[in-house]
Amino acid sequence: MVSSKDVAKRAGVSQSTVSRVLNEPKNVSRSNLEKVTAAMKELNYRPNSIARSLVSKKTKTIALISGPLHNPFFVETTTSIVNYANEKGYKTIVFFENYGDNMSVYETVLSQQVDGIILSSIFMDDPIFKDLTSMNLPFMMFNRKHQDGGSFVEIDNVKAGALAADHLLNLGHRRIGFIGGPLYTSTFFGRCSGFTEEINKRLHEIDDSLIRETDTSEEAVREATLLMMGRKNKPTAVFAATDAIAIFVIDALMELGYSIPEDISICGMDNVRMARHHSFELTTIGQHTENNLGRLGIEHLINRIEEGSNSGEPVQITLDPVLYQRKTTKKFAD
């Protein structure tokens, strides 16, 4: 088996220079970097990742704890995170949220040897936050955040909920439903709070029967939609707190024989790629930047890892929401 010693001999450099090329290439001259890289290719050298991690105390591995894949938002953010990490030379171990109980997932992640953690699975009062902050390990939250702070990248969910309510109210709707996910997460809590506050401000009352909390699965969203539409005073519009929920709502409504937006307007949230699908062209709320929250989060996490320190001020980024008006909302005609 070819060793780093063989590479050093072929390149005409010291073995410590080869080690720096593998672990700290920024600290190597361009000439030596080219010599060592050429020698590794000629000898078909494959560095031993375990040995490298023992020397550098780095594994070049990141743990991602993502939300459920039935939501295209998490498909897109997972893809962005894995691709960007790969570009930067990091492997990503991916784990997925366990509905309402993430402790087993956290235990598995914390048993791994990784250089950092990026997660969207955290709850507002999640006890794992204390464990994460007590470790000398960089971690970044995206989409969701903990009530005690930490480093995060999010959209302003309260403003987003208010923006959705404002859009539907301005179209003349007065009975507007809300279908979201668990209110112990910052995303759904913020979106519901902003929505209900705006409705109360403009109409001075809100019908609690039109506020539905689900686990975001297709079955639960369908049941919430059926219950809402089974009432005597049905809503004429619905704010679905994610685009995935909006798509499930549209499917359930069409199954009942409703036309969108002729019979009922639907506004989603996240502006995932599927929202632009020509078969429905979903009105939704997202952010101005093209990079999704996962991409922004992994950029900041890798910066912190490569700075070699988990100290200093946390990264806290809250993006303003923007409305993307498409074809699933229209003026209400009484």
Side-chain angles (χ1 to χ4, degrees), residues 219-266:
E219 296 79 11
V221 172
R222 182 177 184 277
E223 181 181 357
T225 305
L226 295 178
L227 287 170
M228 195 176 284
M229 300 309 293
R231 296 185 59 81
K232 182 179 179 181
N233 295 317
K234 302 175 179 63
T236 62
V238 172
F239 171 40
T242 69
D243 289 344
I245 292 174
I247 292 167
F248 293 153
V249 170
I250 289 171
D251 188 57
L253 289 170
M254 292 181 72
E255 182 184 336
L256 293 172
Y258 291 98
S259 295
I260 314 297
E262 288 75 20
D263 298 323
I264 184 167
S265 288
I266 307 293

Side-chain angles (χ1 to χ4, degrees), residues 55-333:
V55 172
S56 66
K57 297 182 180 178
K58 295 281 184 71
T59 65
K60 301 294 282 187
T61 303
I62 290 167
L64 161 63
I65 311 176
S66 172
L69 286 182
H70 67 249
N71 184 344
F73 172 85
F74 292 117
V75 177
E76 292 179 11
T77 52
T78 295
T79 301
S80 294
I81 289 167
V82 171
N83 287 347
Y84 183 81
N86 187 56
E87 288 172 18
K88 295 297 180 179
Y90 289 83
K91 300 186 294 293
T92 307
I93 307 173
V94 184
F95 302 84
F96 294 102
E97 177 181 324
N98 183 17
Y99 287 110
D101 177 18
N102 287 327
M103 288 312 298
S104 60
V105 178
Y106 293 142
E107 287 170 7
T108 302
V109 171
L110 296 180
S111 70
Q112 307 291 316
Q113 188 176 356
V114 296
D115 295 341
I117 298 173
I118 182 167
L119 66 161
S120 64
S121 57
I122 201 158
F123 307 143
M124 287 191 293
D125 62 351
D126 209 320
I128 196 62
F129 183 79
K130 184 179 289 186
D131 294 330
L132 291 170
T133 52
S134 67
M135 299 170 64
N136 187 28
L137 184 71
F139 73 97
M140 174 72 61
M141 297 169 282
F142 73 96
N143 192 46
R144 299 180 190 169
K145 65 182 180 182
H146 195 271
Q147 63 190 13
D148 292 336
S151 292
F152 59 80
V153 180
E154 62 163 2
I155 194 167
D156 191 320
N157 291 292
V158 174
K159 282 186 180 178
L163 185 60
D166 185 66
H167 169 62
L168 295 171
L169 287 166
N170 289 344
L171 290 175
H173 297 279
R174 292 297 177 266
R175 290 190 56 76
I176 306 170
F178 172 90
I179 301 179
L183 297 182
Y184 50 74
T185 63
S186 63
T187 46
F188 294 120
F189 179 81
R191 293 169 196 184
C192 186
S193 297
F195 172 82
T196 54
E197 286 169 11
E198 186 67 17
I199 296 288
N200 278 324
K201 185 171 75 175
R202 297 272 297 271
L203 300 182
H204 308 296
E205 63 178 347
I206 190 163
D207 185 345
D208 290 337
S209 69
L210 296 180
I211 307 298
R212 297 286 173 176
E213 180 181 354
T214 74
D215 66 9
T216 76
S217 67
E218 183 172 5
E219 296 79 11
V221 172
R222 182 177 184 277
E223 181 181 357
T225 305
L226 295 178
L227 287 170
M228 195 176 284
M229 300 309 293
R231 296 185 59 81
K232 182 179 179 181
N233 295 317
K234 302 175 179 63
T236 62
V238 172
F239 171 40
T242 69
D243 289 344
I245 292 174
I247 292 167
F248 293 153
V249 170
I250 289 171
D251 188 57
L253 289 170
M254 292 181 72
E255 182 184 336
L256 293 172
Y258 291 98
S259 295
I260 314 297
E262 288 75 20
D263 298 323
I264 184 167
S265 288
I266 307 293
C267 177
M269 168 99 197
D270 287 332
N271 194 34
V272 298
R273 290 189 186 91
M274 192 181 293
R276 290 160 250 173
H277 199 286
H278 292 300
S279 62
F280 45 80
E281 295 185 61
L282 180 67
T283 294
T284 186
I285 294 167
Q287 66 236 20
H288 285 286
T289 176
E290 290 184 5
N291 289 332
N292 61 44
L293 297 177
R295 171 59 184 262
L296 296 173
I298 191 63
E299 287 177 1
H300 286 286
L301 177 64
I302 289 178
N303 285 343
R304 301 206 83 168
I305 291 171
E306 298 192 341
E307 286 169 1
S309 172
N310 197 29
S311 59
E313 290 296 313
V315 175
Q316 298 186 342
I317 299 172
T318 301
L319 303 175
D320 279 330
V322 59
L323 175 73
Y324 293 89
Q325 186 170 357
R326 298 192 181 104
K327 295 184 179 179
T328 59
T329 56
K330 64 172 291 189
K331 282 188 175 294
F332 174 63

